[in-house]
Amino acid sequence: MNDMDTHATEPAADPAEDDAPWLTAREQRLWRAHLEVSKLLEYQLSRELQQHDLAINDYEILVVLSESPDRRMRMTDLATATLQSKSRLSHQITRMESAGLVLRQECPGDRRGLFAHLTEQGWQTLRKVAPDHVRSVRAHFIDRFEDDQLDALFEALAPIAEHLRGLRGRG
Amino acid sequence: MNDMDTHATEPAADPAEDDAPWLTAREQRLWRAHLEVSKLLEYQLSRELQQHDLAINDYEILVVLSESPDRRMRMTDLATATLQSKSRLSHQITRMESAGLVLRQECPGDRRGLFAHLTEQGWQTLRKVAPDHVRSVRAHFIDRFEDDQLDALFEALAPIAEHLRGLRGRG
DNA sequence: CTGAAGTTGTAGAAAATTGAACAACCTCGG
DNA sequence: CCGAGGTTGTTCAATTTTCTACAACTTCAG
């Protein structure tokens, strides 16, 4: 049950014994818990979405599009929103297009551009799948916090998300 | 800046309007923050490891092996520990073996089995890379919590990790 | 001992991801 | 209008991941 990690368990055998910015035991257990939860949660949700023939990335795109004006979004914006490369998104939209979930649509003002547009079938698929997915998110994550933990956790994570979002642009 | 999600933003346009176990606004912002942090953090750490020619999975394997007795582990156990399929691990170990980081070793008691064994070079690589990695983990995560947040967060995550670990076995 | 059943790790093909190169297009200073 | 410089999305090749089948081996009941 180990996980990717920065290990600071065996002082004498640590990869760099001295003057390294090592993690304390308290820090390390948090870091490992975070990694474990991230990984296992993604695994679990992915497994459950699979019963609807959706990858986790497919679901993400359905959600983002469903929340966009006219249920569509420019390819580049969608790539940014979902943290994918343009290339990867292009392939993925091709796949989802074959599955009938989305459609590529010309962009009126800009002949370079394309919209990825949620089809009716894509919308209905999301309607069908979302409740199960939310149930899982609750069962495996949200409902497992106390009421005050829920807000405290958000307060802790929000600035980190912002920090990381900031890094994303430059490097 | 959107993310994979369960969206409960536009009541009238939600995929399933009624009697669904929807997320409240408070719940949703936490869920989105968690997803965003997970994803961006992995992206960032992966990017930084890349400067040492290591994928995040390579690093994870180096760490797990370094903490194992005799710095080696059976393929199947290693696959389980790192949440990979046997096939994927096999390919990955082949790559890491080419890179000189690990070695396949016969297993005395069981002629079916093999150990993945950390080489001296693999160990030295970890020694070299780990401090940078830990610095990143601090800069982007650990050092961004207040002292009390750090423990509170662990208390919140630990039971979830345990729950998910439990699911893993069965389904 | 024998053979059915389970385990271990690999092989090969198919699918997904990445990064670079590219054609088509837009923008804007001159 | 012109053309340099940037943007948009796709495509290609190389790599990585996934899935399935498989051969070698162990275990264990009979």
Side-chain angles (χ1 to χ4, degrees), chain A residues 112-165:
Chain A
R112 295 167 307 177
L114 290 176
F115 284 111
H117 187 286
L118 194 59
T119 61
E120 182 58 25
Q121 183 189 334
W123 174 254
Q124 292 305 331
T125 298
L126 182 56
R127 267 183 78 101
K128 194 185 63 187
V129 172
D132 280 358
H133 181 68
V134 175
R135 236 184 303 278
S136 300
V137 171
R138 282 199 172 284
H140 304 313
F141 191 71
I142 289 291
D143 285 352
R144 294 179 174 272
F145 297 113
E146 306 294 338
D147 220 56
D148 56 323
Q149 282 183 322
L150 199 129
D151 288 331
L153 193 42
F154 173 76
E155 299 301 336
L157 289 183
I160 296 187
E162 187 167 9
H163 161 73
L164 291 168
R165 222 180 292 127

Side-chain angles (χ1 to χ4, degrees), chain A residues 1-8 23 26-44 141 153 157 164, chain B residues 34-35 37-46 49 56-57 59-61 63-64 67 80-83 133-134 136-138 140-142 145 153-154 156-158 160-162 164-165 168:
Chain A
M1 288 310 135
N2 249 313
D3 240 81
M4 185 204 91
D5 206 288
T6 47
H7 55 104
L23 295 187
R26 279 171 62 234
E27 291 165 343
Q28 189 179 179
R29 66 181 193 173
L30 171 59
W31 177 231
R32 295 201 179 203
H34 170 79
L35 287 175
E36 201 171 358
V37 167
S38 295
K39 216 166 168 177
L40 289 172
L41 199 48
E42 175 167 353
Y43 175 82
Q44 190 65 29
F141 191 71
L153 193 42
L157 289 183
L164 291 168
Chain B
H34 170 80
L35 287 175
V37 167
S38 295
K39 214 166 169 178
L40 288 171
L41 199 48
E42 173 167 354
Y43 174 82
Q44 189 66 30
L45 293 177
S46 170
L49 278 175
I56 210 161
N57 283 331
Y59 185 80
E60 179 180 10
I61 287 189
V63 170
V64 171
E67 292 178 346
T80 301
T82 59
L83 300 180
H133 180 69
V134 176
S136 300
V137 171
R138 282 200 171 285
H140 304 313
F141 191 71
I142 289 291
F145 297 112
L153 192 42
F154 173 76
L157 290 184
I160 296 187
E162 188 165 7
L164 291 168
R165 225 181 290 127
R168 188 79 171 91

Side-chain angles (χ1 to χ4, degrees), chain B residues 117-136:
Chain B
H117 187 286
L118 194 60
T119 61
E120 182 58 26
Q121 184 190 334
W123 173 253
Q124 293 304 331
T125 298
L126 182 56
R127 268 183 78 102
K128 193 184 64 186
V129 172
D132 280 358
H133 180 69
V134 176
R135 235 184 303 280
S136 300

Side-chain angles (χ1 to χ4, degrees), chain B residues 85-105:
Chain B
S85 68
K86 288 186 301 177
S87 171
R88 177 175 168 179
L89 178 68
S90 180
H91 286 302
Q92 181 170 357
I93 292 295
T94 299
R95 271 173 255 138
M96 292 179 74
E97 208 170 3
S98 309
L101 299 171
V102 300
L103 217 50
R104 270 183 249 249
Q105 212 174 42

Side-chain angles (χ1 to χ4, degrees), chain A residues 88-129:
Chain A
R88 178 175 170 179
L89 178 68
S90 180
H91 286 302
Q92 181 168 357
I93 291 295
T94 300
R95 271 173 256 141
M96 292 179 73
E97 209 170 1
S98 310
L101 299 171
V102 300
L103 218 49
R104 271 183 249 247
Q105 213 174 43
E106 284 188 6
C107 177
D110 187 341
R111 283 208 290 162
R112 295 167 307 177
L114 290 176
F115 284 111
H117 187 286
L118 194 59
T119 61
E120 182 58 25
Q121 183 189 334
W123 174 254
Q124 292 305 331
T125 298
L126 182 56
R127 267 183 78 101
K128 194 185 63 187
V129 172

